[in-house]
Amino acid sequence: MSVLLRELSERILVLTIHRPEKLNALNPEVVESLRDALHAAKGDDAVGAVILTGSGSKAFVAGADIAGFKGVTAAGARELARRGQAVLDLLEGLGKPSIAAINGFALGGGLELAMACTLRIASRTARVGQPEVNLGLIPGYGGTQRLPRLVGKGRALELILTGDPIPAEEAYRIGLVNRVVEPEELMPAARALAARIVSRAPLAVKYAIDAVNHGPELPLGEALRVEADLFGLCAATADMQEGVTAFLEKRPATFRGE
Ligand code: COA
């Protein structure tokens, strides 16, 4: 059976990492399957949003597969990190929203995967963390960079240096996840959120993600120019004309992603 299950309905693609016996740990097969699925989703107009989750009730993803670290060389480990980072970059830059539905442990590479998603919803039973220091490692799939950007440097350093996981409610309190729901509500809540975003103008959604993701890397003046450029690009879309006209005509807009 495949290590990555795919299900597309109503323009929402659900990708389920399926290695429940290993708590969905990210081995090379999972990473490659994710890369292929994300490449396909990026170019597929039938996909409006992606939900990522893990198989079973115990884990979203319990990290990179630790078995792959045994005897690895410095060059090999660097390559492993770069390959994983490239897949997470692809996810972050998908041009469509992605939601991590965190159904259990999201540790190490699991939390890094969730942080590369546009939004995160956690089950009340989930626990998240960056435990790499327990293995003599540091996060290598973007954790040292995306975690401080999401929760601030102080909280990120505490999580990374102690390696201690935190419960979903604490992750919510520090802004690491967008909301916490009961386990049985996780997938309905993720689908409802995805559907809400999919009903909006797709290019506006894409440009908004671009602006929010890239702005903070730039000096404020440049970032504001990027925002204005993307605002201008929105005005060149048929959907912007439709959205404005529909509002003025007091009717719902029909967006076509053009
Ligand atoms: N890589 C490879 N295998 C993993 C794994 C990982 N990151 N996380 C869990 N597994 C495997 C376990 O080895 C075990 O396999 P086995 O049954 O063949 O021995 C199976 O998944 C179940 O895990 P287990 O540890 O028995 O479950 P638990 O309920 O006792 O503990 C965790 C759950 C998540 C606390 C524990 O599995 C853990 O600490 N995992 C590693 C987390 C981590 O350090 N991630 C960062 C990696 S960089």
Side-chain angles (χ1 to χ4, degrees), residues 126-186:
R127 291 178 71 79
V128 309
Q130 297 284 170
E132 288 86 348
V133 287
N134 292 310
L135 302 169
L137 285 168
I138 66 169
Y141 286 0
T144 63
Q145 302 309 308
R146 289 196 178 94
L147 187 57
R149 282 167 170 77
L150 269 173
V151 304
K153 185 174 165 184
R155 286 180 171 128
L157 276 168
E158 186 174 344
L159 281 166
I160 292 168
L161 298 184
T162 63
D164 291 336
I166 55 172
E169 284 294 354
E170 174 69 359
Y172 174 71
R173 198 183 65 77
I174 65 173
L176 184 47
V177 301
N178 295 81
R179 56 181 88 156
V180 178
V181 297
E182 295 306 322
E184 63 278 12
E185 282 305 312
L186 181 65

Side-chain angles (χ1 to χ4, degrees), residues 91-246:
L91 173 60
E92 188 172 60
L94 200 61
K96 2 196 146 185
S98 54
I99 298 173
I102 305 173
N103 54 308
F105 286 112
L107 301 176
L111 180 55
E112 291 168 309
L113 182 64
M115 290 192 292
C117 288
T118 320
L119 299 167
R120 284 150 293 284
I121 302 182
S123 156
R124 195 168 300 285
T125 55
R127 291 178 71 79
V128 309
Q130 297 284 170
E132 288 86 348
V133 287
N134 292 310
L135 302 169
L137 285 168
I138 66 169
Y141 286 0
T144 63
Q145 302 309 308
R146 289 196 178 94
L147 187 57
R149 282 167 170 77
L150 269 173
V151 304
K153 185 174 165 184
R155 286 180 171 128
L157 276 168
E158 186 174 344
L159 281 166
I160 292 168
L161 298 184
T162 63
D164 291 336
I166 55 172
E169 284 294 354
E170 174 69 359
Y172 174 71
R173 198 183 65 77
I174 65 173
L176 184 47
V177 301
N178 295 81
R179 56 181 88 156
V180 178
V181 297
E182 295 306 322
E184 63 278 12
E185 282 305 312
L186 181 65
M187 288 312 289
R191 279 182 190 281
L193 181 57
R196 209 165 159 72
I197 300 172
V198 164
S199 75
R200 311 308 194 211
L203 289 171
V205 167
K206 172 181 165 22
Y207 296 147
I209 295 172
D210 278 358
V212 173
N213 279 348
H214 295 124
E217 314 303 322
L218 302 170
L220 181 61
E222 255 178 71
L224 289 173
R225 246 193 315 277
V226 167
E227 182 187 72
D229 289 347
L230 292 168
F231 191 80
L233 278 181
C234 287
T237 66
D239 279 349
M240 185 267 201
Q241 299 304 327
E242 163 64 7
V244 169
T245 306

Side-chain angles (χ1 to χ4, degrees), residues 21-23 25 58 62-67 69 105 107-109 131-132 135 137:
E21 73 289 355
K22 293 290 180 192
L23 304 189
K58 195 165 170 184
D65 194 315
I66 297 171
F69 297 149
F105 286 112
L107 301 176
E132 288 86 348
L135 302 169
L137 285 168

